Every structure is written in C-alpha cells, then in structure tokens.
Amino acid sequence: MKESVRTVKCQDPGDGSGDVIIDLPDDVLERMGLQIGDSLTLELIGGSIVLKPIRDADAQP
C-alpha cells in the first residue's frame, strides 16, 4: 500500500513541555484508530517520519 505524502504544521502548546501539537486529517485519525487528544511517538525510520499511537498497554512505568 503506497502512502501519500502529507504536510502538517507542528504547533507549540506553549506550556514549556517540548511537546508539539499536530492536526491530522480525519481520514488519518480513522485509519490509525486515533481520537483527538491521543498521544503518539514520532520516529525517523529510513528517511520517513513514522507516528505510532501510545496505548495504555504500551506505556512504560
């Protein structure tokens, strides 16, 4: 399955956390099973930025 290239704008939440807010299109949220407010990891893999949801079972103590 070939994924399309999308451009998104990272926004600073202004709380000094170093986190970013990324508005993702509804179709991407649906395909990834995400809801507004979910947390994601961001990795650079083979020249691509990969977002993965952080699920409660994935959380490290």
Side-chain angles (χ1 to χ4, degrees):
M1 171 204 243
K2 183 177 179 181
E3 296 292 325
S4 62
V5 175
R6 296 180 187 251
T7 301
V8 296
K9 182 177 181 181
C10 296
Q11 303 170 48
D12 182 348
D15 61 4
S17 66
D19 292 344
V20 295
I21 297 171
I22 301 172
D23 290 324
L24 297 173
D26 290 339
D27 63 314
V28 173
L29 293 173
E30 185 176 325
R31 284 196 328 225
M32 292 182 72
L34 298 171
Q35 297 180 17
I36 293 174
D38 285 352
S39 296
L40 306 170
T41 61
L42 187 140
E43 297 179 60
L44 182 61
I45 299 176
S48 296
I49 295 174
V50 178
L51 299 175
K52 294 181 183 178
I54 299 172
R55 306 286 185 213
D56 289 339
D58 297 337
Q60 301 294 322

